[in-house]
Structure formats: structure tokens, C-alpha cells
Amino acid sequence: MAEGAPEPRRRLSLRGLLRTVHRDAGNLAVGLTLVYAASGLAVNHIADWDPNFKSYQSTHELGGPLEGEDQAVAERVLQRLNIPAKPSDVYRAAPNQLEITLDRRTLHVDTQTGKVLDEGEQPRFFLRLANWLHLNRGKKAWTYVADGYAVLLLLLAFSGMFMLPGRKGLIGRGGIFVLVGAAVPIAYVVLSGGGP
């Protein structure tokens, strides 16, 4: 090329533009896809497990009998176990069994031996937050984010369909996959009796 000659203008390619849109939308969608995919798997199996909390059990030995009024015993137990929460209920389940009910936690105290069975639920940190977002507990503000994510998924779907030309694209192998993907929900609705 002669010195000083203008560089030829690059022609705008529709497929090049689609690749750019697909790449950038895909990168934007990664974080939200992880949240929605993990939460979707967890919530789909809610009959088999609690996706927000996991159960635990532990025992503590307080070293000997615990005597006195129920409330006073409960206060001593909580203090010895370094639990700052206030109980919602304290009651005798049996002459030597004191129950201390806390939020998502119960202490079963054997007042004769000083043994404490601690039963409760702990939040599943990532999944609980993911489910909170997925089920739109964040309400109106999160609705805009979820709508934006839905638009990104539509961009990914449509840009992906038209990126490749020829037999690998929509008029060939790509079109077969599109038809199979669309057939899955349609077949399920038909075979399951027509929806809700």
C-alpha cells in the first residue's frame, strides 16, 4: 500500500456483529446463569431436601446436674454455651428434660447429667441467597435485573442461531438442534396431559 494512502474501510458483517453480541451477552450472563442454574436445580428437588437450610446435631457436656427454676437453668445453659439469643420458649418435656426453643434451634437439656443436645438448622450460604434472588424475594428492584437477564438469554438464543452459515447453521445441523430443543417442552406438555 502506498504511503499516505487511506486504509480500506472494513465492511460491517452481520455475522461478525452477531458474534460480538453473542460473546458480550454471554460474558454478561455468566454470573446470573450460575445463580439461576444452581437455584433452579435446588428448588426443583425441594421435596427431597431443604435447599435453604441444612440440619445439624451436636452435644455438649456442662458437667453435672443443673438445678433451679426453669428460666434460671435456661439462662445458665445459654451463658455456658455462649449463645446470646433469647429463647422463644422454655418448658419441661419430662422431669429431667428441659427444652429451650430458639430461632431454628432447640436445646434438649438433661438437667440430671448436664448433657445438652443441640438440634437446629443452618443456612446454606450460597444456595439460600441464590434462591432468594431466583424466587424474586428482592421484589421490584430485582425484577428489573431478572428482566434484563431474560433479554440477555433471548439475545444469546437468537444470535447463536444465526451466527454460523450453511450446513452448521440454522438451515442445517443448527436447525435440527433448535427443533429438538423446542420439541422438549412441547412434548412434555402433550404427554403430561396438557399443562396445569
Side-chain angles (χ1 to χ4, degrees):
M1 182 183 293
E3 192 175 329
E7 289 187 19
R9 290 176 65 182
R10 296 176 71 178
R11 208 163 57 100
L12 183 64
S13 157
L14 179 60
R15 288 203 168 88
L17 180 62
L18 286 174
R19 276 193 293 274
T20 301
V21 168
H22 192 82
R23 179 197 64 216
D24 293 344
N27 288 333
L28 272 174
V30 167
L32 287 166
T33 300
L34 289 173
V35 166
Y36 277 90
S39 173
L41 287 169
V43 172
N44 276 351
H45 299 280
I46 203 164
D48 304 317
W49 72 317
D50 184 340
N52 293 315
F53 295 92
K54 58 184 175 185
S55 299
Y56 73 87
Q57 267 192 0
S58 60
T59 55
H60 309 276
E61 298 286 349
L62 300 184
L66 298 164
E67 297 175 350
E69 294 291 322
D70 291 351
Q71 289 294 336
V73 171
E75 285 175 20
R76 284 205 313 274
V77 169
L78 294 173
Q79 189 175 27
R80 297 270 296 276
L81 296 179
N82 200 24
I83 299 172
K86 290 191 175 182
S88 57
D89 197 11
V90 175
Y91 64 94
R92 287 272 170 180
N96 295 327
Q97 187 75 29
L98 185 69
E99 303 286 309
I100 305 171
T101 306
L102 302 155
D103 183 35
R104 296 195 173 273
R105 187 177 190 181
T106 302
L107 304 175
H108 309 277
V109 183
D110 185 328
T111 55
Q112 193 168 21
T113 63
K115 183 177 179 180
V116 180
L117 174 63
D118 183 356
E119 287 186 310
E121 294 178 321
Q122 291 174 327
R124 298 180 192 276
F125 177 70
F126 173 74
L127 276 181
R128 187 171 182 223
L129 292 176
N131 294 338
W132 186 79
L133 291 171
H134 193 149
L135 300 172
N136 201 13
R137 303 275 193 247
K139 300 304 175 195
K140 191 154 191 170
W142 186 254
T143 300
Y144 296 124
V145 176
D147 288 348
Y149 177 56
V151 170
L152 279 177
L153 290 179
L154 288 170
L155 277 173
L156 283 168
F158 284 108
S159 62
M161 281 195 302
F162 296 102
M163 270 185 353
L164 294 175
R167 292 188 328 201
K168 291 185 180 178
L170 195 58
I171 59 170
R173 179 178 154 190
I176 293 169
F177 281 111
V178 169
L179 289 174
V180 170
V184 170
I186 294 169
Y188 181 82
V189 169
V190 171
L191 295 173
S192 66

